[in-house]
Amino acid sequence: MSGGGVPAGSAVRRIAVIGAGPGGLYFAALAKKLAPHREITVWERDARDDAYGFGVVFSDETLDGIAGADPPVFAALSAEFARWSDIDVRYAGQVRTCGGHGFAALDRNRLRAILQQRCADLGVDVRYRTPAPPVTRLAAGYDLVVAADGVRSATRAALAEAFRPELDERHCRYIWLATDKVFEAFTFIVEQHDFGALQVHAYPYSRRRSTFIVEMAEEAWRKAGFEEPAGRETGRGESDLPSVLRCERLLAAHLDGHRLIPNASRWIRFTTVRNASWHHRNVVLLGDAAHTAHFSIGSGTKLALEDGLALAAALHEHPLLEGALVAYERERRPVVESAQRAAQASLEWFETVGRHTGQGAEQFAFNLLTRSRRVTYGNLRARDAAFVDAVDAAFGGAADGGAAARAGTAHGAASAAGSPDGGAAGVPPMFRPLRLGRLRLRNRIVVPPLATFTAVDGMPSGFDRAQLGAQVLGGAGLVFTGMTAVSAQGRATERCPGLWTDAQEAAWRSVVRAARELGDTPLGIQLTHAGRRAASTVPGPDGIGHPLADGWPTLAASPLPWEPGAPPPRAAGAAELAGVVADFAAAAARADRAGFDVLGLQFGHGHLVSGFLSPLTNHRTDRYGGPLEHRLRLALEVLTAVRAAWPAGKPIVVRISAADWAPGGTTEAEAVAICRALAGAGADALDVSTGEVVAHQEVPYGRGYQVPFADLVRNATGIPTVAVGAISGHDDANSVLLAGRADLVAVGRAHLYDPLWTLHAAAEQGYAGPGARWPEPWQPGSSRPPGPGADRVAPRLRLLPEAAAPVHRRWLPADGPAAGSRDEDAGRRDEDAGSQDQDAGSQDQDTGRKPRTEPVSD
C-alpha cells in the first residue's frame, strides 16, 4: 500500500498487452497476481496451440527470480527441465569439454503453454487469432499498453519518433532448427570447409529433441551454395527444405543418423535492437521489441521474462504510471546494455571465427568460452580447474618443445622463453616468459607509456624518475616511459619530455641508471611527434587535450584543426617531412645511448604519423596521400630510419590506431595491411590501440574494448601484438593471453592506481615463481596480508559432510534422473558461457507466417 491507503499502482487498472509470447504472458500473469482488480487483455494474432520454435535455455539467476515471483509457474517449469552442466566444443575432429556451468532448458511451446494456463487461472483475457488494434486506439482506451510484439515490433515502428530505434542487422546467416538427436551437453561445432567456417550452437531441451542452429559468414554461405535455395519463394509458414537437407548432409558426422527438423526455418540475419527510449506516454516496450542480444549468449526469453517481472514490480511499487515506467527503464536498461555488450563481443567473435581456426583444440575451446569477456580465466578455473589446467599446459608447451606456434605465438619474433616456468602446469598465463626479438621478458605484462606532464623545457622531472622507479619495482615484464617528443615542435604539451638535446639525453641516462639500481626490468621509451595534436593543454580526466590559443605552430598531413575553432596546422612539405624522419632517427640513437632496451614509436592517436595513415586526416594528393600505400610512406620512412639507428638486437614496438571510431576512417583490412607493412620494415611487435584520431569519434568504451583489434592483427598477420584498452584485472589479462588474442597485455591506469599491480596480481593468484620477482627488501610482504576474520576457525555444524557438486553432468534422459529435479550443481551463475537463453524464432516473429513442424528425412 502507498501513502493514504491507495493501492500501489492503482492508477493503472486497464492494461493492454500486444503479443502472447513468453514475455507478454509472464508480465500479464504477474501484474494480475499483484493486483487482481486489474483488467488485463492480451492480443495474439496466432492460435493458442500454434507450435512455434524449439528450445529455450535459462540461467539459474533467471530461475531464482521466477521461483520467488511466481512459485506455481516455477514448479510447472521445473517438472519438465532438461538439466546439464557441460559444454562440449567440437573442433578440428576433437572434442573438448568444460564443466560446472549449469543449464536448464525446455520446449519453448511448453513454456508458453504453462504461462497460458497461469494467465487463464488468474483471469487474464488472452485473445488468440486476434490482431491487436492500432496502438493509438489502445493507448486511448487503456491506462497502459505493453508492446511485447517482437523484434519487428509494429508498435515500435508506429511510434519510431518517440522510441528512436536503432536496428543493427549483422553479417552472418543462420537457420534455426531442431534435431531428434538428444545432445548430452551444450555443444558448439566449428568446422572448416573449402567454402569457409561453419558453426553450430546445439543443446538438448527435452527427452526427445535438441535445438540446432547453423550459422555461417555471408561469404561462406554464398560459396557453400545456400544463396539459390534461400532465394526461392516459399509459402506461409514453410521452410527452406533444400537448405535443411544440405545442412543435414554437411553435419552428418555430428547427427549420427538423426534428422534435422525445421519449423518455418529459413536463413536470416540477426538484428540487434536498441531504442533511445523504452516508453512513450502510456506505451512501453518489453522484450525483443525493446532490445535483442545475440543468440550466442542467448537471452531473448530470459531478458523478456526479466522485463516482465521488473515492469510488474514497478507498477506495484509506484502509484503513478509515469513514475513506474521511468523506474522500470532505469532498472532494466543497465542490465540489458550489459548483456548487449557481451552479446556484441560474442557475435563479432562468431562472425570472424575463421581467424581462430588455426589454434589447437584446447586454446580454441578456451577462446570460444571466453569470447564475450564475461566468462574469464578465473571464472572457468572455478568451474572446471582440470579444463583450465589442460589449456595452461598447451599454452606453455612451447617452452618444452621450442615451437613458438604451440605457445600461441605468431612467429619467431615472439616466443616462449625457456625457464623453470616455461611449460610448468599451474603457472598463470601472464607469468609465462616471452622472448621479444633478443630480449627476454620474465612475464607478459607491460606498463604502457603513462605521461606525467611534469617536464620543464623537455627535461624529464623528478616525478618521471620516481614513477619509472616505482614501476620497475612493481614486477611488470616491460616498463615504458611516457610519450617523449623528438623535437620541440612535436611536443603534445609544454609539459611533455623530449629527446632532441644532449641535456635531455643526459637526463634520461640518469633516470635509467637510477631505475637499474632498483631492478633489471627491461625499460622502453616511446618516441613521438604529436602533429596536429601538438601545442595542446594538459589533458583533463577524459585524456584529451585541447589546442592552445597561443601555442606554437603545428605540423600535420593536411591543414585540418583538431576541433572547430582551433588554429589549423600547416601541411608538411617534403623538406619538413625529411626533417621529421631525421628527428626520429636521432632520438632513437639518443635513446640507445641513454640505456633503454625497447623503443616504442607512437604512430597512433592522431599524432603526426597517425595523421598520415588515416583517410580522415590525410587529404593530400601528393606521394604521401591518397591510397593506403601512399599514406603509409611516412610511417615506413620513419621506421626504416629508426631501425637503422637502433641496434638490431633491441626490439621496436609500434603503436597504431586500428580504428578511428568515425565514418570513413581506417578499415579493418587497412589496419591489417598497415601492420604487415610495419612488420616488414622492422617492427618486432604492434601495440594495437584505437581512436583519438578525430575529435568527433564515438568510442564504445568498456572493459577490454580494444582487445579484438589486437586479436585481428595477430591472427590475420602472425605479428606479435600488445593488447590495450581498459584492462585492469589479472583475470582479464590471463584470458586475453590464454585465448591467443595477444602476446602481451598493457595495463595502464591500474598501474597508476597501484604501481605494484603485477606483484599483487601474483600474490592474489598464489603464484611465487620467477615471473613475479619481489624486491628483496619487500619479500616479507610478498603474500597477501590476512583480512578481518582471517583467524576465525569455523566449527563443524554438519553431522555428515555435504557432497560436493559434480563438475560434469550430462543430459542422459534415458537412464539418468528425472528431468524435473533441480540439482544444485547448476547453481553456479552461468550468464553466457554458452547460449543461455536462446529464443527460437525471436528473430522471425512478425513474418506473418503460421509455423508448422515439417519432417525432412526418415
Side-chain angles (χ1 to χ4, degrees):
M1 301 288 285
S2 61
V6 179
S10 61
V12 182
R13 294 180 176 274
R14 301 188 73 237
I15 300 176
V17 180
I18 305 173
L25 291 172
Y26 188 53
F27 162 76
L30 293 179
K32 187 71 170 177
K33 174 186 173 183
L34 289 173
H37 66 280
R38 286 188 179 128
E39 175 190 331
I40 301 179
T41 306
V42 181
W43 276 268
E44 172 56 52
R45 66 185 179 187
D46 292 328
R48 177 188 178 102
D49 297 327
D50 278 349
Y52 195 82
F54 303 114
V56 291
V57 185
F58 296 98
S59 68
D60 281 353
E61 185 176 56
T62 303
L63 293 178
D64 286 348
I66 295 173
D70 200 339
V73 167
F74 176 76
L77 296 176
S78 297
E80 302 193 29
F81 280 143
R83 283 195 172 276
W84 70 96
S85 66
D86 281 355
I87 297 175
D88 289 347
V89 179
R90 300 188 178 195
Y91 160 76
Q94 302 177 65
V95 181
R96 295 295 181 269
T97 299
C98 180
H101 296 281
F103 296 95
L106 81 163
D107 189 322
R108 183 180 188 273
N109 295 299
R110 285 298 304 141
L111 168 63
R112 198 162 54 106
I114 290 168
L115 293 173
Q116 288 171 342
Q117 186 59 52
R118 183 60 172 153
C119 283
D121 293 344
L122 292 168
V124 175
D125 180 9
V126 183
R127 302 178 182 180
Y128 295 98
R129 293 189 182 276
T130 308
V135 65
T136 51
R137 189 189 309 169
L138 289 175
Y142 286 81
D143 299 322
L144 173 64
V145 179
V146 179
D149 50 348
V151 68
R152 294 177 177 82
S153 168
T155 306
R156 187 185 63 229
L159 298 174
E161 290 186 5
F163 295 124
R164 302 189 303 283
E166 174 192 335
L167 307 179
D168 178 16
E169 188 174 66
R170 300 305 302 181
H171 312 308
C172 281
R173 301 270 187 161
Y174 71 97
I175 187 168
W176 211 297
L177 304 162
T179 175
D180 55 3
K181 173 176 178 174
V182 181
F183 285 90
E184 296 180 7
F186 202 106
T187 303
F188 290 101
I189 301 168
V190 179
E191 288 189 346
Q192 191 70 26
H193 293 264
D194 55 358
F195 52 76
L198 178 152
Q199 60 240 27
V200 173
H201 313 247
Y203 57 87
Y205 64 85
S206 73
R207 294 176 178 272
R208 297 184 297 110
R209 287 190 178 175
S210 303
T211 294
F212 198 88
I213 308 161
V214 183
E215 185 181 26
M216 304 174 69
E218 178 80 11
E219 183 179 1
W221 178 80
R222 293 181 188 278
K223 287 181 178 179
F226 286 109
E227 184 175 15
E228 191 274 330
R232 295 175 184 171
E233 290 291 331
T234 57
R236 184 171 180 266
E238 293 182 358
S239 297
D240 177 0
L241 297 184
S243 288
V244 178
L245 288 167
R246 178 149 170 71
C247 288
E248 200 171 79
R249 289 192 294 270
L250 285 170
L251 294 157
H254 302 282
L255 291 170
D256 299 327
H258 291 269
R259 60 178 181 156
L260 291 180
I261 304 167
N263 184 341
S265 301
R266 302 198 62 182
W267 293 103
I268 52 178
R269 294 188 182 95
F270 186 85
T271 299
T272 300
V273 175
R274 300 178 179 90
N275 286 276
S277 176
W278 294 358
H279 71 279
H280 172 64
R281 295 178 180 167
N282 66 335
V283 180
V284 64
L285 303 177
L286 185 147
D288 284 351
H291 48 70
T292 59
H294 190 251
F295 56 81
S296 60
I297 71 159
S299 69
T301 301
K302 164 185 157 61
L303 291 177
L305 295 180
E306 291 174 353
D307 282 357
L309 188 154
L311 180 57
L315 292 174
H316 185 70
E317 293 165 359
H318 297 270
L320 299 180
L321 177 61
E322 178 60 23
L325 298 185
V326 168
Y328 158 69
E329 187 167 345
R330 184 180 296 139
E331 175 184 337
R332 289 295 297 156
R333 185 176 285 277
V335 177
V336 167
E337 289 178 349
S338 174
Q340 287 186 317
R341 284 192 295 271
Q344 187 76 11
S346 180
L347 75 86
E348 289 175 359
W349 192 93
F350 278 109
E351 285 177 343
T352 57
V353 69
R355 293 178 188 170
H356 311 290
T357 51
Q359 292 183 326
E362 285 81 10
Q363 189 175 50
F364 182 86
F366 180 87
N367 198 342
L368 185 152
L369 293 172
T370 58
R371 67 196 179 278
S372 74
R373 301 195 286 271
R374 277 189 172 182
V375 176
T376 61
Y377 175 85
N379 183 272
L380 285 180
R381 179 168 288 285
R383 299 176 190 221
D384 189 346
F387 170 80
V388 176
D389 283 344
V391 187
D392 265 341
F395 180 78
D400 295 330
R406 284 176 54 205
T409 56
H411 55 63
S415 62
S419 78
D421 272 358
V427 177
M430 63 183 284
F431 293 113
R432 303 280 184 176
L434 186 79
R435 192 168 296 282
L436 189 63
R438 297 180 187 175
L439 182 67
R440 180 189 180 279
L441 306 180
R442 70 172 62 96
N443 64 56
R444 300 185 181 221
I445 298 301
V446 176
V447 178
L450 299 170
T452 66
F453 300 107
T454 57
V456 177
D457 296 328
M459 300 288 285
S461 69
F463 198 95
D464 288 314
R465 180 188 298 260
Q467 177 169 284
L468 188 64
Q471 291 163 349
V472 164
L473 292 170
L478 172 61
V479 174
F480 276 95
T481 65
M483 59 182 181
T484 305
V486 299
S487 66
Q489 182 191 47
R491 291 171 297 160
T493 78
E494 61 183 3
R495 304 303 304 276
C496 289
L499 193 48
W500 69 84
T501 70
D502 291 345
Q504 291 163 354
E505 179 184 326
W508 279 118
R509 187 179 301 113
S510 175
V511 169
V512 170
R513 187 181 304 118
R516 293 276 185 249
E517 293 177 359
L518 300 174
D520 61 354
T521 298
L523 302 176
I525 186 169
Q526 185 191 68
L527 302 180
T528 188
H529 186 299
R532 71 177 188 146
R533 298 200 62 189
S536 295
T537 62
V538 171
D542 62 355
I544 303 293
H546 299 280
L548 293 166
D550 56 350
W552 55 91
T554 57
L555 203 64
S558 300
L560 305 173
W562 171 255
E563 58 189 26
R570 186 175 68 258
E576 289 172 307
L577 293 179
V580 167
V581 172
D583 288 341
F584 268 98
R590 291 185 184 280
D592 176 45
R593 292 194 296 267
F596 286 100
D597 305 292
V598 179
L599 194 68
L601 298 177
Q602 172 60 290
F603 286 3
H605 292 182
H607 288 222
L608 181 65
V609 178
S610 172
F612 276 81
L613 292 173
S614 172
L616 295 178
T617 50
N618 185 343
H619 295 176
R620 301 171 73 104
T621 57
D622 64 0
R623 62 195 298 267
Y624 290 96
L628 179 60
E629 61 183 297
H630 291 181
R631 303 199 310 271
L632 261 166
R633 183 166 276 123
L634 179 62
L636 297 180
E637 288 176 353
V638 169
L639 180 53
T640 300
V642 166
R643 185 74 273 181
W646 183 252
K650 291 186 176 183
I652 295 176
V653 179
V654 182
R655 170 170 283 192
I656 68 159
S657 285
D660 299 335
W661 302 118
T666 301
T667 66
E668 288 190 354
E670 288 178 327
V672 168
I674 289 168
C675 291
R676 283 200 178 104
L678 294 174
D684 295 280
L686 278 301
D687 182 348
V688 186
S689 186
T690 64
E692 297 189 41
V693 176
V694 292
H696 61 278
Q697 65 181 9
E698 294 186 8
V699 183
Y701 293 109
R703 194 174 113 253
Y705 72 102
Q706 297 182 119
V707 171
F709 294 93
D711 190 5
L712 163 70
V713 170
R714 185 181 189 275
N715 289 291
T717 68
I719 300 164
T721 61
V722 183
V724 301
I727 302 171
S728 59
H730 59 75
D731 199 12
D732 284 337
N734 284 325
S735 299
V736 168
L737 294 165
L738 194 57
R741 298 177 185 126
D743 301 277
L744 294 159
V745 173
V747 179
R749 294 194 180 192
H751 271 111
L752 295 178
Y753 177 77
D754 176 10
L756 303 187
W757 183 91
T758 304
L759 293 180
H760 289 160
E764 289 170 6
Q765 296 174 80
Y767 173 74
R773 188 182 303 167
W774 279 81
E776 187 66 31
W778 289 353
Q779 280 291 330
S782 60
S783 59
R784 192 171 188 176
D791 58 346
R792 180 182 183 273
V793 178
R796 177 174 181 141
L797 299 175
R798 290 181 176 273
L799 179 62
L800 297 175
E802 184 178 14
V807 172
H808 297 286
R809 184 187 180 196
R810 316 288 284 181
W811 174 238
L812 301 169
D815 53 6
S821 61
R822 184 168 187 248
D823 292 355
E824 290 307 315
D825 71 317
R828 293 188 183 94
R829 296 292 181 251
D830 188 71
E831 302 211 358
D832 64 358
S835 304
Q836 256 45 261
D837 180 42
Q838 310 198 30
D839 183 358
S842 66
Q843 288 291 303
D844 200 24
Q845 292 181 357
D846 291 281
T847 58
R849 299 174 180 146
K850 177 184 178 182
R852 68 171 184 267
T853 301
E854 304 159 343
V856 171
S857 60
D858 295 334

